[in-house]
Amino acid sequence: MTAVSLGMNCPGNERRSRTLGVSWLPRNRQQPLDMGHLYSPRNSTSRRNLPHLLLFFLFVGPFNCFASYSRATELFYSLNEGLPAGVLIGSLAEDLQLVPQAPSAEAAVAAGSEEDQQSHQPHGEEWDPPLSFSLASQGLAGQYVTLDNRSGELHTSAREIDREALCLEGGGGGAGGGGGRNGISISSSTSSESCVLLLDVLVLPQEYFRFVKVKIAIRDINDNAPQFPVSQISVSVPENAPVNTRLAIEHPAMDPDVGINGVQTYRLLDYHGVFTLDVEENENGERTPYLIVMGALDRETQDQYVTIIIAEDGGSPPLMGSATLTIGISDINDNCPLFTDSQINVTVYGNATVGTPVAVVQAVDRDLGANAQITYSYSQKVPQVSKDLFHLDEITGIIKLFRKIGGNVLRLHKLTVLANGPGCIPAVITVLVTIIKVVFRPPEIVPRYIANEVEGVVYLKELEPINTPVAFFTIRDPEDKYKVNCYLDGDGPFRLSPYQPYNNEYLLETAKSLDYETQQLYEITVVAWNSEGFHVKKVIKIQILDDNDNAPVFTQPLIELSIEENNAPNAFLTKLHATDADSGERGQVSYFLGPDAPSYFVLDKITGILTVSTQLDREEKEKYRYTVKAVDSGIPPRESIATIAITVLDKNDNSPRFINKDFSFFVPENFPGFGEIGVISVTDADAGRNGWVALSVMNQSDIFVIDTGKGMLRAKVSLDREQQSSYILWVEAVDGGEPALSSTAKITILLLDINDNPPLVLFPQSNMSYLLVLPSTLPGSPVTEVYAVDKDTGMNAVIAYSIIGRRGPRPESFRIDSKTGNITLEETLMQNDYGLYRLLVKVSDHGYPEPLHSTVMVNLFVNDTVSNESYIESLLRKEPEISIEEKEPQISIEPTHRKVESASCVPTLVALSVISLGSITLVTGMGIYICLRKGKKHHRENDNLEVQIPLKGKLDLHMIERKPMEISNI
């Protein structure tokens, strides 16, 4: 391509070439044009236009700088097809030698040449404004490359370049104007086969504008194997083809690759010792294989050769393609007729009838078609008399008696027969016919048919009874002087017997039952012979006609089938097959379902295909048993019955199912470990392994376990209701199918209370605590209380309070409420009632079978004030001897206003007790302060305070808290 520079010799008007993967070959070519026309000094028109051209150049002279960057430039690159994305094709900036211009560029142009200007330009500087590269159009060629707008680097795109597809796709594209319609140029010549991508690149901005044409030549690689257009190639060779005969093989192999990567050679896998292969190349470089005959061929020995033809290209490694080559040997007339014998001897009786076959001559020609056609004729040496007596069929070679033999006919005839073939010398055979003169006539057999007879064939139905008459035979002796006998020759269910009272009359009848299915055709011979030993034969053909005497027969009377449940609609079950030995319509079988067959089973009456129209569910019905019929088309029709037994196979389509969604069990607490709590019942409608169910505890598995076999739920440890009153478990049932199905159930275990906890005294908190009771306390006033709780429930938690032991100046002064535990003052306190009172309180529940109880010591100190705490503590440390009261107070078990809650109320009660004790302590402190101000001090002697009360039993009072509690009751 020529770049237009408007007649100015400016830099950049060049043409460059680069080959990817091989070498970079830059080259500069400048071909200035005269305004787009070829320069010719002899053209007078150019001379006349010279002044105009000078004016034009003067006009465009001021735009010298702009013109220097408005030139057309060509760049050539080449690369292999099939390269991956991102492979560098070339850098347009480098190959166009685009470098930034120095500020003194105009001075450099005025001072010297273009090369001097470029040598003075500083490197590393950038264009201002920067250069921009872009494709002028986004055609097909632009889809295979990517152009960096800044650097001008050209890379392969993600779309792989396939040279064969690309050239075929862009065929017909021109080389100019952006590469035609698709930007692809294809050049095919004897020297090379080229495929070129054409790109138009614009270099901007406008002051540096340049229009660059980029041509990228796609080099071929060996990525296609030769391929024959057909898989079977046939070649016909005449069997008389001489050695070195050359036959072109049609449909040569094609290879989309070009050059050395195209088809280079052909060869045969098996040459059979009589062929070879040669390859010829025409002016266009196309190679055609030729089959060469290297040995003698004989179609009669071998009429066909089959081998494999292989085409191979010149790539490295080479690729190959193959096809089957069939070489047919065509026949020529290279064989003549031949007789197997040279002479035939035959004998003819003088009384032979006209048309009796005498002899048959037959020659053989090993050729085919018209080359093997044979005609027979008599030799010219055969006398005319013999020709008139014996007729020769020229096609079949059958010699028949043509005329009746007279008394003066020659007794020996020599018939010379010629076998004539096309282009052959006739083959010769001699037939010697000897005529024997008959001095008498043999017996005659005259048949008279009773059964239906057509053209010598007698027809009988197979259901004809025994002794069915077939025909009468009359035996005649023309000489009337010989005794003639008659008998039946041949096997079959027939007999021939004299028919009385007539002479020489014989009746042919059936002797056994006929069966068409056993034998359809009989040939029997009636033989008549006289006493001289001469005999005559009459052949009778009897055709048995079929009757509908056989019913269809199933191959199996019981057909056992199986099908998986949840089958697809119209699923195939089996194909019934019944055979009927009868022929014709009588043997055509149709199939029908029995009346006991369900409606959703379908049986095709013609094909016998049994299907089921709906899905079967094994859980609904596992086995089906019904009958089917096979009916023939005879009149009347016959039928047979078979039984269909279908077993529906199980699929794991049912999850395990618990009898209840929720199970509840009531278990007494302190239940022993691994005791039986209850049975979890679960079922699975599936069968076999699909119906095997394994049970497991999903939560609380550290406490509970379930027996998979029996479904028995057990507790691993003893259960305590006071620690946890109920348990909620989730039990999972998993079957043994693939994949396994599962379901879950909720198990609620409620623990029943037993009386295993005695009442717990919360107040007073210690046997060593005491309470100050003022002497001024009025009778009936509550002094203190005993507060206890029981962790059990129900009757096991109903608490009764009683004083079982007393000690003090007047112990009976205090009583306790059996229901509430409140201790009240019964009588007015006197001066001599001052001192320490110790009340042993029994706290008992109403458990069954045996109530449990606890005891607590309630210490009451009657005085105006506490002046000596150490003294009171010393009294408390002494273990008292308290007599246990035998009579227990009668306690009503009716619910009181104080409802004892479960162990969950204990924290609340403790908190309330602490608050109450704090309040009492505060009030007591205030009372002591008032008493001190009054100055009233009352002291009691220790001996006056201590009252000896004998005890019938001793109790261990454990000290919980050593510091006594001072409690004042107001």
Side-chain angles (χ1 to χ4, degrees):
M1 175 176 284
T2 302
V4 180
S5 61
L6 300 179
M8 297 180 183
N9 187 15
C10 297
N13 184 16
E14 58 269 351
R15 186 176 183 178
R16 300 185 179 274
S17 172
R18 172 171 290 187
T19 303
L20 181 62
V22 180
S23 62
W24 297 91
L25 302 174
R27 56 180 180 174
N28 301 334
R29 295 191 301 177
Q30 298 180 356
Q31 298 179 1
L33 296 180
D34 188 5
M35 296 303 292
H37 299 279
L38 294 175
Y39 176 72
S40 177
R42 296 181 181 180
N43 194 326
S44 60
T45 305
S46 298
R47 294 190 186 98
R48 290 194 300 268
N49 293 334
L50 184 58
H52 301 282
L53 294 175
L54 292 175
L55 291 175
F56 177 78
F57 286 129
L58 290 174
F59 175 76
V60 300
F63 301 97
N64 182 23
C65 182
F66 175 76
S68 64
Y69 292 100
S70 302
R71 306 183 187 100
T73 304
E74 286 188 355
L75 291 179
F76 290 88
Y77 301 100
S78 64
L79 74 159
N80 293 338
E81 62 175 326
L83 292 178
V87 175
L88 178 62
I89 300 174
S91 176
L92 302 185
E94 292 179 4
D95 297 336
L96 294 174
Q97 297 182 357
L98 294 176
V99 294
Q101 294 187 7
S104 60
E106 294 181 0
V109 172
S113 63
E114 180 180 339
E115 290 75 13
D116 294 337
Q117 176 184 354
Q118 294 179 358
S119 63
H120 287 84
Q121 290 175 349
H123 295 282
E125 298 182 6
E126 297 182 355
W127 292 90
D128 187 17
L131 292 179
S132 173
F133 299 86
S134 62
L135 295 176
S137 61
Q138 293 294 334
L140 179 62
Q143 300 178 11
Y144 294 94
V145 297
T146 59
L147 177 62
D148 191 294
N149 294 338
R150 293 301 181 188
S151 65
E153 290 184 350
L154 202 60
H155 295 82
T156 57
S157 68
R159 183 171 182 179
E160 183 178 315
I161 299 178
D162 184 356
R163 181 187 179 281
E164 291 74 29
L166 182 63
C167 291
L168 179 63
E169 189 175 326
R181 184 180 60 184
N182 296 321
I184 300 174
S185 174
I186 304 172
S187 174
S188 302
S189 64
T190 58
S191 61
S192 64
E193 300 253 357
S194 63
C195 178
V196 179
L197 291 178
L198 302 180
L199 303 173
D200 292 341
V201 179
L202 300 179
V203 181
L204 296 173
Q206 186 66 31
E207 54 266 27
Y208 310 131
F209 174 76
R210 184 169 295 187
F211 182 71
V212 183
K213 286 190 171 292
V214 179
K215 295 183 178 181
I216 304 174
I218 309 303
R219 291 200 303 269
D220 181 49
I221 64 173
N222 191 25
D223 57 343
N224 291 279
Q227 185 175 4
F228 288 91
V230 294
S231 61
Q232 300 281 343
I233 302 176
S234 299
V235 177
S236 179
V237 182
E239 63 177 326
N240 63 341
V243 176
N244 294 327
T245 298
R246 299 172 64 87
L247 299 170
I249 297 177
E250 298 180 356
H251 310 295
M254 306 298 293
D255 194 329
D257 297 326
V258 297
I260 192 65
N261 294 329
V263 178
Q264 298 297 319
T265 183
Y266 293 85
R267 58 186 173 89
L268 297 179
L269 189 62
D270 186 1
Y271 292 91
H272 295 285
V274 292
F275 300 102
T276 187
L277 205 62
D278 189 19
V279 180
E280 292 185 3
E281 183 175 358
N282 59 13
E283 296 178 355
N284 296 328
E286 297 177 351
R287 289 176 170 83
T288 303
Y290 281 82
L291 183 68
I292 303 176
V293 179
M294 300 300 295
L297 304 175
D298 186 6
R299 188 206 62 79
E300 289 72 31
T301 302
Q302 186 171 351
D303 61 351
Q304 181 177 275
Y305 298 87
V306 179
T307 184
I308 302 296
I309 183 171
I310 299 173
E312 187 173 323
D313 62 21
S316 179
L319 302 178
M320 294 177 290
S322 63
T324 301
L325 178 62
T326 302
I327 306 171
I329 310 301
S330 59
D331 183 55
I332 64 170
N333 191 24
D334 57 345
N335 291 279
C336 291
L338 293 175
F339 286 108
T340 57
D341 298 320
S342 60
Q343 182 175 315
I344 300 175
N345 298 321
V346 295
T347 300
V348 178
Y349 289 99
N351 61 348
T353 58
V354 176
T356 301
V358 177
V360 178
V361 294
Q362 188 172 8
V364 178
D365 193 326
R366 297 176 61 192
D367 292 329
L368 293 176
N371 296 329
Q373 290 182 355
I374 301 174
T375 59
Y376 301 93
S377 63
Y378 284 127
S379 173
Q380 295 180 357
K381 297 180 181 180
V382 178
Q384 188 64 38
V385 177
S386 299
K387 293 181 180 179
D388 295 338
L389 184 60
F390 300 102
H391 175 264
L392 173 63
D393 190 304
E394 65 175 5
I395 302 300
T396 63
I398 298 176
I399 300 176
K400 294 183 179 181
L401 184 63
F402 190 66
R403 293 181 180 179
K404 189 174 182 180
I405 300 175
N408 55 355
V409 175
L410 294 175
R411 301 307 175 193
L412 180 63
H413 295 265
K414 183 179 181 181
L415 306 177
T416 303
V417 180
L418 306 178
N420 305 293
C424 293
I425 299 175
V428 180
I429 189 173
T430 300
V431 180
L432 293 178
V433 182
T434 301
I435 298 177
I436 299 176
K437 185 177 179 181
V438 180
V439 295
F440 66 90
R441 290 182 293 175
E444 296 180 358
I445 300 175
V446 180
R448 288 174 291 171
Y449 296 101
I450 301 174
N452 185 27
E453 181 266 339
V454 177
E455 296 182 355
V457 180
V458 179
Y459 294 91
L460 288 177
K461 293 183 177 181
E462 64 173 330
L463 295 181
E464 293 289 352
I466 301 175
N467 301 326
T468 297
V470 179
F472 275 113
F473 292 93
T474 301
I475 309 301
R476 296 175 182 175
D477 183 10
E479 303 295 333
D480 291 332
K481 60 181 180 179
Y482 298 103
K483 182 179 179 181
V484 179
N485 294 320
C486 185
Y487 66 91
L488 192 62
D489 186 16
D491 296 330
F494 303 99
R495 63 169 172 260
L496 183 66
S497 58
Y499 189 72
Q500 301 296 336
Y502 303 103
N503 295 326
N504 298 329
E505 296 286 344
Y506 293 86
L507 176 63
L508 179 65
E509 59 184 353
T510 60
K512 299 180 181 179
S513 298
L514 304 178
D515 189 0
Y516 172 85
E517 290 72 32
T518 303
Q519 187 171 347
Q520 293 86 34
L521 180 65
Y522 294 91
E523 289 189 2
I524 58 176
T525 303
V526 178
V527 181
W529 58 282
N530 59 17
S531 58
E532 294 297 324
F534 295 99
H535 61 274
V536 65
K537 297 180 179 180
K538 180 66 176 179
V539 178
I540 306 298
K541 292 184 178 181
I542 300 177
Q543 176 69 51
I544 307 302
L545 300 178
D546 187 31
D547 279 311
N548 192 29
D549 60 337
N550 291 280
V553 178
F554 282 99
T555 54
Q556 292 178 324
L558 175 62
I559 303 171
E560 296 181 342
L561 307 173
S562 62
I563 182 175
E564 283 191 346
E565 62 176 331
N566 303 331
N567 56 282
N570 301 317
F572 173 82
L573 293 176
T574 188
K575 182 176 182 180
L576 302 180
H577 181 67
T579 57
D580 194 318
D582 295 325
S583 62
E585 293 183 355
R586 292 172 293 274
Q588 293 181 358
V589 180
S590 300
Y591 302 91
F592 301 94
L593 291 172
D596 54 345
S599 60
Y600 40 82
F601 289 96
V602 180
L603 179 60
D604 190 289
K605 64 179 296 185
I606 304 299
T607 63
I609 294 177
L610 179 63
T611 58
V612 56
S613 62
T614 185
Q615 282 190 350
L616 299 179
D617 187 357
R618 188 202 67 83
E619 290 72 33
E620 180 179 342
K621 189 172 184 180
E622 183 177 5
K623 293 184 180 296
Y624 296 86
R625 191 180 183 94
Y626 54 88
T627 57
V628 291
K629 295 189 298 183
V631 183
D632 62 21
S633 301
I635 299 176
R638 292 177 177 267
E639 66 181 37
S640 62
I641 297 176
T643 301
I644 302 293
I646 300 176
T647 301
V648 182
L649 303 179
D650 183 54
K651 291 181 69 175
N652 193 28
D653 58 342
N654 290 278
S655 301
R657 184 175 180 181
F658 290 93
I659 294 179
N660 298 318
K661 293 183 179 180
D662 296 332
F663 291 84
S664 297
F665 297 101
F666 295 89
V667 180
E669 64 175 330
N670 300 330
F671 196 70
F674 292 96
E676 296 180 353
I677 296 176
V679 176
I680 309 300
S681 299
V682 61
T683 61
D684 194 315
D686 295 323
R689 187 173 181 84
N690 295 332
W692 181 84
V693 179
L695 296 174
S696 62
V697 179
M698 300 176 64
N699 63 326
Q700 302 284 354
S701 59
D702 55 334
I703 302 177
F704 297 94
V705 67
I706 192 166
D707 186 355
T708 298
K710 299 180 180 180
M712 181 63 68
L713 181 65
R714 304 173 187 268
K716 295 181 180 179
V717 298
S718 179
L719 304 178
D720 188 358
R721 189 203 64 79
E722 286 70 36
Q723 292 183 2
Q724 186 170 342
S725 61
S726 64
Y727 295 87
I728 296 179
L729 310 181
W730 290 96
V731 175
E732 182 181 33
V734 182
D735 63 22
E738 288 291 340
L741 301 178
S742 64
S743 61
T744 58
K746 180 181 178 182
I747 312 296
T748 302
I749 300 176
L750 301 174
L751 297 183
L752 301 177
D753 183 54
I754 62 175
N755 193 25
D756 60 341
N757 291 279
L760 176 63
V761 178
L762 299 180
F763 184 84
Q765 296 180 351
S766 171
N767 289 332
M768 300 299 294
S769 62
Y770 64 92
L771 178 67
L772 177 64
V773 179
L774 298 177
S776 59
T777 302
L778 298 177
S781 299
V783 176
T784 185
E785 68 173 347
V786 177
Y787 181 73
V789 295
D790 196 318
K791 295 182 180 180
D792 296 324
T793 60
M795 295 302 298
N796 296 331
V798 176
I799 297 175
Y801 302 89
S802 64
I803 299 175
I804 60 174
R806 304 170 184 262
R807 185 177 179 213
R810 194 159 50 131
E812 64 277 2
S813 299
F814 298 95
R815 68 175 296 272
I816 189 169
D817 189 291
S818 63
K819 296 181 179 179
T820 64
N822 289 334
I823 299 177
T824 57
L825 179 65
E826 290 294 309
E827 299 176 357
T828 303
L829 296 175
M830 302 299 180
Q831 184 68 30
N832 58 353
D833 293 335
Y834 286 29
L836 180 63
Y837 290 79
R838 308 196 73 179
L839 305 178
L840 181 60
V841 178
K842 178 181 179 181
V843 183
S844 176
D845 61 23
H846 286 71
Y848 179 84
E850 182 179 356
L852 301 179
H853 68 274
S854 299
T855 59
V856 65
M857 186 68 73
V858 177
N859 301 306
L860 302 175
F861 186 63
V862 178
N863 202 4
D864 292 327
T865 182
V866 177
S867 60
N868 191 353
E869 293 183 1
S870 60
Y871 170 71
I872 299 176
E873 290 178 1
S874 64
L875 294 179
L876 294 175
R877 280 194 294 269
K878 292 181 180 181
E879 183 175 347
E881 293 184 359
I882 302 177
S883 177
I884 303 300
E885 297 179 1
E886 295 295 337
K887 185 178 180 179
E888 298 277 340
Q890 298 297 323
I891 303 172
S892 175
I893 60 174
E894 293 180 1
T896 63
H897 66 279
R898 189 188 303 261
K899 183 178 181 181
V900 181
E901 300 295 337
S902 63
S904 60
C905 299
V906 171
T908 304
L909 294 176
V910 171
L912 293 175
S913 300
V914 171
I915 295 173
S916 299
L917 289 176
S919 301
I920 293 173
T921 303
L922 179 60
V923 173
T924 303
M926 293 177 63
I928 293 173
Y929 176 76
I930 295 172
C931 292
L932 289 176
R933 290 187 62 184
K934 291 181 179 181
K936 293 181 179 180
K937 296 181 180 179
H938 301 280
H939 299 282
R940 292 284 182 96
E941 297 293 335
N942 189 29
D943 54 341
N944 294 329
L945 293 176
E946 294 182 0
V947 179
Q948 300 296 331
I949 302 176
L951 295 176
K952 295 182 180 180
K954 293 185 178 180
L955 295 176
D956 292 334
L957 303 175
H958 298 284
M959 188 178 300
I960 301 177
E961 186 177 341
R962 299 190 63 84
K963 184 177 180 180
M965 295 182 62
E966 297 179 359
I967 302 175
S968 176
N969 184 43
I970 299 177

